[in-house]
Amino acid sequence: NFTPYEKQQIRINLDKKHRAGKEVTLIQGFDMNLTQLESMAKQLKSKCGIGGGVTDDGMILLQGDQRKKLPDVLSKMGFKKIRVIQ
């Protein structure tokens, strides 16, 4: 059984380490299985028009800096507790 979207605490932050100088946006805090996570990643990628994927430890990774766009997109999907880490 998974936590409802509005109770999940989502954290969004930017990462440049070990990525050949490229920026990626990491989104973590999802309470869902791998299939649901991959489906969520697919939705976010299409809404932002960019590439990305799911990491082994359950984070969604999106190319580039998506910190301005994502809170809006996620809140429209029903997430309430979204924290952007600067």
Side-chain angles (χ1 to χ4, degrees):
N1 238 1
F2 298 106
T3 313
Y5 282 0
E6 62 269 8
K7 292 207 166 100
Q8 294 185 33
Q9 297 193 351
I10 307 301
R11 290 181 309 289
I12 302 169
N13 62 324
L14 194 66
D15 188 25
K16 287 185 217 171
K17 296 184 190 93
H18 317 299
R19 308 199 191 274
K22 291 187 170 45
E23 294 181 328
V24 296
T25 305
L26 293 173
I27 317 162
Q28 57 200 79
F30 292 107
D31 179 23
M32 43 184 77
N33 64 32
L34 191 61
T35 313
Q36 293 168 311
L37 208 56
E38 283 170 350
S39 157
M40 175 66 67
K42 190 174 179 180
Q43 290 176 47
L44 293 173
K45 289 190 298 187
S46 73
K47 285 192 165 83
C48 295
I50 40 136
V54 176
T55 66
D56 296 338
D57 48 0
M59 287 192 285
I60 293 178
L61 186 142
L62 299 176
Q63 293 173 348
D65 185 353
Q66 307 298 327
R67 290 176 298 179
K68 285 189 174 67
K69 212 181 285 182
L70 278 171
D72 196 36
V73 171
L74 285 166
S75 67
K76 282 185 181 142
M77 294 168 109
F79 292 97
K80 301 257 184 296
K81 299 178 178 177
I82 303 165
R83 206 168 100 220
V84 177
I85 301 159
Q86 298 302 343

